[in-house]
Amino acid sequence: MKYTRLGGRPSFTKWSILLVLVSLTQLLMACGADSPTSPATTTTTITTIASTAGSNVTRTAVLTNNPASTIGAATATPTVSQPTKTPVTVAPTPTLPPNLKESDQVLNIIGGEIPSLDPALSGDTGSSFVLRQVYSGLLGLDKDLKVVPDLAATLPDVSADGLTYTFTLRPGVKFHSGQELTADDIKYSWERASDPKLAAPAPASSLVAATYMNDIVGVKDKLDGKTQNLDGVIVKDKYTLQVKIDSPKPFFLAKMTYPCFYVVNKTGVAQGFDKADGSGPFRLAEYKKDQLIRLVRNAEFYNGMPRLFQVNILLGASAANSLTLYEQGKIDYVYTGGNAVEPALDKNNPLSKELLIKPQLDITYVAFNNRLKPFDDPKVRQAFSLVVDRDKIARVMFEGKVMRAISILPPGMPGYTGNPGPISYDVNRARDLIAQSSYRKPENLPKITLYTTGSSLAKVLQDVYKQAFNLEIEVRQPDYNDFKSGLAARQFQMYIFGWVADYPDPDNFLRALLGAGSAFNEVGYNNPQFDELLKQADQLGDGPKRLEQYGKAEQIALTDAPILPIYHSIGYLLVKPYVKGLDLSASGILNLKDVYILR
């Protein structure tokens, strides 16, 4: 998913000090011998959060000069194999330590941009983190990013041909309003999420469902306005739902953990999403746009009552100066990076004992709109990529606090090869490519505008293109909503953005960002050979041959240069020692259900 700067993102797994150091070292080594290394591996005391518990992540924007806007990373190499079908038992109300005070169970954090609290429209990390606490889907991800049952009583029965999934729901699950949640609610929610009217006036292809639900029979027809119903979603009875997909997809269950699959109450929809009626571990008690979100415990949560009584999420101006808020004890954890993390990297600083460090399954990239001049010419895209010294950006600009990206897939992602493709730093070759392009000379290029949501990288690129081609690149920084609208309309020539893994599978990067028909393919990349390799991978099941096809597809994309990978983040998270049970996955903080405060 797209990422914005967040106060509550990714979810760390429970690590010992040694395992953190080993995993970090392995990931950095995977980037190459000349990749930047984190000073934290030698100068920081790393502590883990006392953990007994567990954000699926979505795509968001705001890339500031904080290289660790979001956290997420692999523990070794995660896989998305079909999990073993096991029954789910409702977790009992947690037994808390006898010295735990109920009045202490309030967590204060900061949040990112919240473009929408409608699960069908969530495509960013800020919104999805909140939605994950309030809503539920049939399936979820655990702290190791493995698919697990949620509203479903077990993982589904799958037909021999891999096309039909039969889900049995937990009986007696209720929305926060008290109404029972049934299979009819799931069908309604999915049909609503794929309704083209929801996108208007934007095209239906801009809906998240166009990317994450399009495997289901009938979704494409509904998006095209050809039908009102989803033929592939069949309510067998109150607690049984059958889902049919168009072809076998090894990653389908993982895609079902995305927020667009969350279940909404039809009655609640009519009331508006600032009064969300979900079925998750927390209820939305208060929402003041760009100021505050207040969540309160859902004491009847089907998977055990949350330990926290309340979560306060500061937004907008209230969330400014986050490190100061943390040091003053006004928030309980904070993502940090850049110069702000330096004090915590000093082992003599008390903050060092509260610092968690974790590489992320993400990518920050420069995108070139393949449908707009001059980037409709692949030679121009390649030339603009070749003059960017990514190693220097990681080593000098970010002082080694990020990992240089040489590919689209991050280290730790299944299918990661470390093969950089044909694009490497070479100014002379770049100038030759401009001469070979349809424009012949840099001065013949049309005016170029670079869009950003606040990344300091924009000024660096501006200087790079001035020095390499004597071009004056204009930089514009619209607010996030205007930026999002511009992306959906495919109207930006060139922009800086990022992506965080929703689930550890190469499909989540390659098809989502660059596949034909993907709502997140804002660059308009279209290469039939690339798409064909992804289709072939779908037919190969979950194994090495499938990953080989993704590797071939990635090399085609790296050659065509629709986007230029710049860096993969390393997350730096400060957590108060009294915060317990906070798990961080490779994609961030998944949920707050089992977090508690022990002072």
Tab-separated table of all heavy atoms in Angstrom, residues 314-360:
chain	number	residue	atom	x	y	z
A	314	LEU	N	-3.444	11.234	17.978
A	314	LEU	CA	-3.344	12.650	17.645
A	314	LEU	C	-3.084	12.810	16.158
A	314	LEU	O	-2.282	12.075	15.570
A	314	LEU	CB	-2.219	13.300	18.447
A	314	LEU	CG	-2.291	13.172	19.972
A	314	LEU	CD1	-1.101	13.871	20.618
A	314	LEU	CD2	-3.604	13.729	20.507
A	315	LEU	N	-3.735	13.781	15.543
A	315	LEU	CA	-3.614	14.019	14.109
A	315	LEU	C	-3.246	15.475	13.842
A	315	LEU	O	-3.441	16.346	14.696
A	315	LEU	CB	-4.935	13.694	13.399
A	315	LEU	CG	-5.540	12.303	13.609
A	315	LEU	CD1	-6.906	12.237	12.947
A	315	LEU	CD2	-4.620	11.221	13.054
A	316	GLY	N	-2.759	15.737	12.618
A	316	GLY	CA	-2.519	17.099	12.179
A	316	GLY	C	-1.557	17.859	13.071
A	316	GLY	O	-0.531	17.336	13.518
A	317	ALA	N	-1.902	19.118	13.372
A	317	ALA	CA	-1.033	19.978	14.169
A	317	ALA	C	-0.793	19.410	15.560
A	317	ALA	O	0.265	19.615	16.156
A	317	ALA	CB	-1.639	21.380	14.266
A	318	SER	N	-1.764	18.668	16.074
A	318	SER	CA	-1.621	18.072	17.410
A	318	SER	C	-0.515	17.026	17.446
A	318	SER	O	0.013	16.706	18.511
A	318	SER	CB	-2.938	17.419	17.843
A	318	SER	OG	-3.978	18.363	17.901
A	319	ALA	N	-0.185	16.476	16.266
A	319	ALA	CA	0.830	15.435	16.181
A	319	ALA	C	2.199	15.986	15.787
A	319	ALA	O	3.146	15.224	15.625
A	319	ALA	CB	0.395	14.373	15.177
A	320	ALA	N	2.300	17.322	15.629
A	320	ALA	CA	3.574	17.929	15.242
A	320	ALA	C	4.584	17.807	16.378
A	320	ALA	O	4.220	17.634	17.549
A	320	ALA	CB	3.356	19.385	14.862
A	321	ASN	N	5.867	17.902	16.014
A	321	ASN	CA	6.943	17.800	17.012
A	321	ASN	C	6.807	16.512	17.823
A	321	ASN	O	6.828	16.511	19.052
A	321	ASN	CB	6.927	19.011	17.943
A	321	ASN	CG	7.050	20.324	17.193
A	321	ASN	OD1	7.900	20.467	16.310
A	321	ASN	ND2	6.203	21.285	17.518
A	322	SER	N	6.679	15.423	17.096
A	322	SER	CA	6.376	14.137	17.735
A	322	SER	C	7.441	13.688	18.722
A	322	SER	O	7.122	13.117	19.768
A	322	SER	CB	6.162	13.067	16.662
A	322	SER	OG	7.318	12.948	15.836
A	323	LEU	N	8.710	13.935	18.406
A	323	LEU	CA	9.767	13.508	19.328
A	323	LEU	C	9.682	14.267	20.644
A	323	LEU	O	9.865	13.697	21.729
A	323	LEU	CB	11.141	13.696	18.692
A	323	LEU	CG	12.330	13.143	19.492
A	323	LEU	CD1	12.160	11.655	19.755
A	323	LEU	CD2	13.647	13.411	18.780
A	324	THR	N	9.350	15.542	20.551
A	324	THR	CA	9.170	16.338	21.763
A	324	THR	C	8.000	15.800	22.587
A	324	THR	O	8.084	15.684	23.815
A	324	THR	CB	8.927	17.813	21.411
A	324	THR	OG1	10.060	18.322	20.707
A	324	THR	CG2	8.706	18.644	22.664
A	325	LEU	N	6.911	15.462	21.887
A	325	LEU	CA	5.756	14.886	22.579
A	325	LEU	C	6.141	13.596	23.287
A	325	LEU	O	5.699	13.336	24.420
A	325	LEU	CB	4.629	14.613	21.583
A	325	LEU	CG	3.950	15.831	20.941
A	325	LEU	CD1	2.966	15.382	19.867
A	325	LEU	CD2	3.237	16.669	22.000
A	326	TYR	N	6.976	12.810	22.647
A	326	TYR	CA	7.415	11.549	23.245
A	326	TYR	C	8.277	11.811	24.468
A	326	TYR	O	8.091	11.196	25.532
A	326	TYR	CB	8.194	10.731	22.218
A	326	TYR	CG	8.707	9.413	22.753
A	326	TYR	CD1	7.887	8.297	22.813
A	326	TYR	CD2	10.019	9.299	23.208
A	326	TYR	CE1	8.353	7.086	23.314
A	326	TYR	CE2	10.502	8.096	23.712
A	326	TYR	CZ	9.657	6.995	23.764
A	326	TYR	OH	10.132	5.809	24.266
A	327	GLU	N	9.221	12.726	24.337
A	327	GLU	CA	10.122	13.023	25.461
A	327	GLU	C	9.363	13.634	26.636
A	327	GLU	O	9.766	13.451	27.791
A	327	GLU	CB	11.228	13.973	24.990
A	327	GLU	CG	12.202	13.322	24.012
A	327	GLU	CD	13.229	14.287	23.463
A	327	GLU	OE1	12.919	15.497	23.348
A	327	GLU	OE2	14.334	13.834	23.143
A	328	GLN	N	8.269	14.334	26.349
A	328	GLN	CA	7.448	14.920	27.406
A	328	GLN	C	6.462	13.923	27.997
A	328	GLN	O	5.727	14.245	28.928
A	328	GLN	CB	6.683	16.133	26.867
A	328	GLN	CG	7.577	17.314	26.489
A	328	GLN	CD	6.795	18.441	25.831
A	328	GLN	OE1	5.648	18.253	25.384
A	328	GLN	NE2	7.406	19.610	25.753
A	329	GLY	N	6.430	12.714	27.454
A	329	GLY	CA	5.539	11.682	27.961
A	329	GLY	C	4.101	11.840	27.516
A	329	GLY	O	3.203	11.218	28.090
A	330	LYS	N	3.868	12.624	26.464
A	330	LYS	CA	2.507	12.852	25.987
A	330	LYS	C	2.063	11.805	24.963
A	330	LYS	O	0.876	11.671	24.690
A	330	LYS	CB	2.386	14.259	25.396
A	330	LYS	CG	2.578	15.346	26.446
A	330	LYS	CD	2.460	16.743	25.845
A	330	LYS	CE	2.631	17.807	26.925
A	330	LYS	NZ	2.562	19.183	26.364
A	331	ILE	N	3.011	11.096	24.366
A	331	ILE	CA	2.698	9.945	23.522
A	331	ILE	C	3.596	8.793	23.943
A	331	ILE	O	4.665	9.004	24.534
A	331	ILE	CB	2.863	10.246	22.017
A	331	ILE	CG1	4.297	10.703	21.698
A	331	ILE	CG2	1.845	11.267	21.547
A	331	ILE	CD1	4.550	10.883	20.202
A	332	ASP	N	3.157	7.586	23.636
A	332	ASP	CA	3.804	6.393	24.190
A	332	ASP	C	4.736	5.677	23.225
A	332	ASP	O	5.534	4.843	23.651
A	332	ASP	CB	2.733	5.429	24.699
A	332	ASP	CG	1.883	6.070	25.794
A	332	ASP	OD1	2.462	6.720	26.680
A	332	ASP	OD2	0.649	5.939	25.747
A	333	TYR	N	4.627	5.930	21.954
A	333	TYR	CA	5.647	5.470	21.010
A	333	TYR	C	5.667	6.409	19.824
A	333	TYR	O	4.692	7.112	19.548
A	333	TYR	CB	5.465	4.007	20.586
A	333	TYR	CG	4.256	3.677	19.733
A	333	TYR	CD1	4.193	4.036	18.388
A	333	TYR	CD2	3.196	2.931	20.254
A	333	TYR	CE1	3.096	3.694	17.610
A	333	TYR	CE2	2.100	2.590	19.484
A	333	TYR	CZ	2.063	2.982	18.153
A	333	TYR	OH	0.985	2.642	17.375
A	334	VAL	N	6.814	6.431	19.131
A	334	VAL	CA	6.949	7.353	18.005
A	334	VAL	C	7.964	6.798	17.021
A	334	VAL	O	8.986	6.235	17.404
A	334	VAL	CB	7.387	8.757	18.483
A	334	VAL	CG1	8.770	8.730	19.117
A	334	VAL	CG2	7.349	9.769	17.333
A	335	TYR	N	7.659	6.924	15.746
A	335	TYR	CA	8.621	6.612	14.695
A	335	TYR	C	9.521	7.815	14.514
A	335	TYR	O	9.060	8.960	14.521
A	335	TYR	CB	7.913	6.293	13.388
A	335	TYR	CG	7.108	5.033	13.458
A	335	TYR	CD1	5.753	5.073	13.746
A	335	TYR	CD2	7.701	3.801	13.252
A	335	TYR	CE1	5.005	3.914	13.827
A	335	TYR	CE2	6.973	2.635	13.330
A	335	TYR	CZ	5.616	2.697	13.621
A	335	TYR	OH	4.888	1.554	13.708
A	336	THR	N	10.795	7.564	14.355
A	336	THR	CA	11.727	8.667	14.197
A	336	THR	C	12.757	8.295	13.150
A	336	THR	O	12.761	7.201	12.618
A	336	THR	CB	12.388	9.017	15.547
A	336	THR	OG1	13.194	10.182	15.388
A	336	THR	CG2	13.247	7.858	16.049
A	337	GLY	N	13.633	9.213	12.827
A	337	GLY	CA	14.643	8.952	11.817
A	337	GLY	C	15.442	10.203	11.545
A	337	GLY	O	15.246	11.251	12.169
A	338	GLY	N	16.373	10.118	10.580
A	338	GLY	CA	17.189	11.265	10.246
A	338	GLY	C	17.990	11.730	11.453
A	338	GLY	O	18.414	10.954	12.310
A	339	ASN	N	18.173	13.042	11.563
A	339	ASN	CA	18.938	13.590	12.679
A	339	ASN	C	18.235	13.372	14.011
A	339	ASN	O	18.872	13.325	15.063
A	339	ASN	CB	19.176	15.089	12.456
A	339	ASN	CG	20.109	15.348	11.281
A	339	ASN	OD1	20.961	14.527	10.961
A	339	ASN	ND2	19.949	16.494	10.634
A	340	ALA	N	16.890	13.249	13.957
A	340	ALA	CA	16.131	13.117	15.197
A	340	ALA	C	16.461	11.834	15.947
A	340	ALA	O	16.269	11.750	17.162
A	340	ALA	CB	14.634	13.176	14.905
A	341	VAL	N	16.947	10.819	15.222
A	341	VAL	CA	17.224	9.550	15.889
A	341	VAL	C	18.629	9.512	16.489
A	341	VAL	O	18.952	8.620	17.275
A	341	VAL	CB	17.050	8.369	14.893
A	341	VAL	CG1	18.236	8.251	13.953
A	341	VAL	CG2	16.839	7.050	15.646
A	342	GLU	N	19.475	10.487	16.152
A	342	GLU	CA	20.864	10.460	16.594
A	342	GLU	C	21.025	10.313	18.105
A	342	GLU	O	21.837	9.513	18.563
A	342	GLU	CB	21.596	11.710	16.099
A	342	GLU	CG	21.891	11.707	14.610
A	342	GLU	CD	22.815	10.586	14.192
A	342	GLU	OE1	23.598	10.096	15.024
A	342	GLU	OE2	22.745	10.176	13.014
A	343	PRO	N	20.269	11.079	18.916
A	343	PRO	CA	20.451	10.908	20.373
A	343	PRO	C	20.206	9.479	20.833
A	343	PRO	O	20.923	8.971	21.707
A	343	PRO	CB	19.414	11.873	20.960
A	343	PRO	CG	19.207	12.907	19.903
A	343	PRO	CD	19.317	12.162	18.609
A	344	ALA	N	19.208	8.825	20.258
A	344	ALA	CA	18.877	7.463	20.681
A	344	ALA	C	19.914	6.454	20.207
A	344	ALA	O	19.980	5.336	20.732
A	344	ALA	CB	17.496	7.076	20.157
A	345	LEU	N	20.728	6.814	19.222
A	345	LEU	CA	21.779	5.918	18.745
A	345	LEU	C	23.009	5.957	19.646
A	345	LEU	O	23.908	5.133	19.505
A	345	LEU	CB	22.168	6.272	17.308
A	345	LEU	CG	21.090	6.026	16.246
A	345	LEU	CD1	21.550	6.542	14.898
A	345	LEU	CD2	20.743	4.550	16.153
A	346	ASP	N	23.029	6.908	20.531
A	346	ASP	CA	24.133	7.016	21.494
A	346	ASP	C	23.832	6.106	22.680
A	346	ASP	O	22.862	6.307	23.409
A	346	ASP	CB	24.260	8.471	21.954
A	346	ASP	CG	25.395	8.666	22.961
A	346	ASP	OD1	26.063	7.669	23.334
A	346	ASP	OD2	25.600	9.821	23.371
A	347	LYS	N	24.645	5.093	22.880
A	347	LYS	CA	24.368	4.104	23.921
A	347	LYS	C	24.386	4.705	25.324
A	347	LYS	O	23.877	4.105	26.274
A	347	LYS	CB	25.356	2.946	23.840
A	347	LYS	CG	26.799	3.330	24.102
A	347	LYS	CD	27.713	2.119	23.962
A	347	LYS	CE	29.165	2.488	24.220
A	347	LYS	NZ	30.062	1.306	24.085
A	348	ASN	N	24.963	5.890	25.450
A	348	ASN	CA	24.985	6.556	26.754
A	348	ASN	C	23.728	7.375	27.000
A	348	ASN	O	23.539	7.905	28.101
A	348	ASN	CB	26.223	7.462	26.854
A	348	ASN	CG	27.522	6.678	26.822
A	348	ASN	OD1	27.642	5.633	27.468
A	348	ASN	ND2	28.488	7.173	26.059
A	349	ASN	N	22.900	7.501	25.991
A	349	ASN	CA	21.647	8.244	26.134
A	349	ASN	C	20.564	7.290	26.624
A	349	ASN	O	20.402	6.195	26.083
A	349	ASN	CB	21.250	8.848	24.783
A	349	ASN	CG	20.098	9.826	24.890
A	349	ASN	OD1	19.061	9.526	25.481
A	349	ASN	ND2	20.264	10.991	24.283
A	350	PRO	N	19.790	7.667	27.628
A	350	PRO	CA	18.724	6.781	28.119
A	350	PRO	C	17.732	6.358	27.040
A	350	PRO	O	17.148	5.276	27.128
A	350	PRO	CB	18.036	7.638	29.201
A	350	PRO	CG	19.088	8.595	29.649
A	350	PRO	CD	19.907	8.900	28.432
A	351	LEU	N	17.576	7.192	26.004
A	351	LEU	CA	16.644	6.852	24.933
A	351	LEU	C	17.069	5.602	24.181
A	351	LEU	O	16.236	4.931	23.559
A	351	LEU	CB	16.509	8.011	23.943
A	351	LEU	CG	15.669	9.217	24.368
A	351	LEU	CD1	15.697	10.290	23.284
A	351	LEU	CD2	14.238	8.803	24.662
A	352	SER	N	18.368	5.289	24.225
A	352	SER	CA	18.853	4.127	23.474
A	352	SER	C	18.206	2.836	23.953
A	352	SER	O	18.064	1.883	23.194
A	352	SER	CB	20.382	4.017	23.573
A	352	SER	OG	20.778	3.728	24.914
A	353	LYS	N	17.801	2.804	25.222
A	353	LYS	CA	17.170	1.600	25.766
A	353	LYS	C	15.713	1.471	25.331
A	353	LYS	O	15.080	0.442	25.578
A	353	LYS	CB	17.267	1.610	27.295
A	353	LYS	CG	18.710	1.565	27.801
A	353	LYS	CD	18.772	1.599	29.321
A	353	LYS	CE	20.217	1.557	29.806
A	353	LYS	NZ	20.308	1.604	31.289
A	354	GLU	N	15.177	2.525	24.714
A	354	GLU	CA	13.788	2.510	24.265
A	354	GLU	C	13.687	2.421	22.742
A	354	GLU	O	12.596	2.518	22.185
A	354	GLU	CB	13.084	3.786	24.768
A	354	GLU	CG	13.087	3.899	26.283
A	354	GLU	CD	12.539	5.229	26.786
A	354	GLU	OE1	11.926	5.976	25.986
A	354	GLU	OE2	12.722	5.537	27.979
A	355	LEU	N	14.821	2.205	22.086
A	355	LEU	CA	14.860	2.237	20.624
A	355	LEU	C	14.774	0.850	20.008
A	355	LEU	O	15.511	-0.060	20.395
A	355	LEU	CB	16.146	2.910	20.143
A	355	LEU	CG	16.318	3.052	18.627
A	355	LEU	CD1	15.255	3.991	18.047
A	355	LEU	CD2	17.719	3.553	18.288
A	356	LEU	N	13.875	0.692	19.076
A	356	LEU	CA	13.794	-0.520	18.263
A	356	LEU	C	14.192	-0.161	16.839
A	356	LEU	O	13.802	0.886	16.321
A	356	LEU	CB	12.369	-1.064	18.252
A	356	LEU	CG	11.918	-1.827	19.501
A	356	LEU	CD1	10.412	-2.005	19.477
A	356	LEU	CD2	12.599	-3.185	19.549
A	357	ILE	N	14.962	-1.026	16.198
A	357	ILE	CA	15.425	-0.795	14.836
A	357	ILE	C	15.015	-1.967	13.972
A	357	ILE	O	15.215	-3.127	14.353
A	357	ILE	CB	16.960	-0.634	14.787
A	357	ILE	CG1	17.390	0.551	15.658
A	357	ILE	CG2	17.444	-0.448	13.352
A	357	ILE	CD1	18.890	0.688	15.778
A	358	LYS	N	14.438	-1.663	12.818
A	358	LYS	CA	14.023	-2.756	11.955
A	358	LYS	C	13.968	-2.318	10.495
A	358	LYS	O	13.308	-1.342	10.162
A	358	LYS	CB	12.660	-3.273	12.377
A	358	LYS	CG	12.263	-4.543	11.632
A	358	LYS	CD	11.177	-5.284	12.374
A	358	LYS	CE	10.927	-6.626	11.707
A	358	LYS	NZ	10.042	-7.478	12.496
A	359	PRO	N	14.654	-3.037	9.597
A	359	PRO	CA	14.511	-2.760	8.170
A	359	PRO	C	13.076	-3.042	7.724
A	359	PRO	O	12.367	-3.830	8.346
A	359	PRO	CB	15.492	-3.739	7.512
A	359	PRO	CG	16.445	-4.110	8.602
A	359	PRO	CD	15.638	-4.092	9.863
A	360	GLN	N	12.680	-2.418	6.622
A	360	GLN	CA	11.294	-2.504	6.207
A	360	GLN	C	11.116	-3.174	4.854
A	360	GLN	O	11.978	-3.105	3.991
A	360	GLN	CB	10.700	-1.101	6.110
A	360	GLN	CG	10.744	-0.322	7.401
A	360	GLN	CD	10.044	1.003	7.258
A	360	GLN	OE1	8.824	1.057	7.175
A	360	GLN	NE2	10.804	2.071	7.232
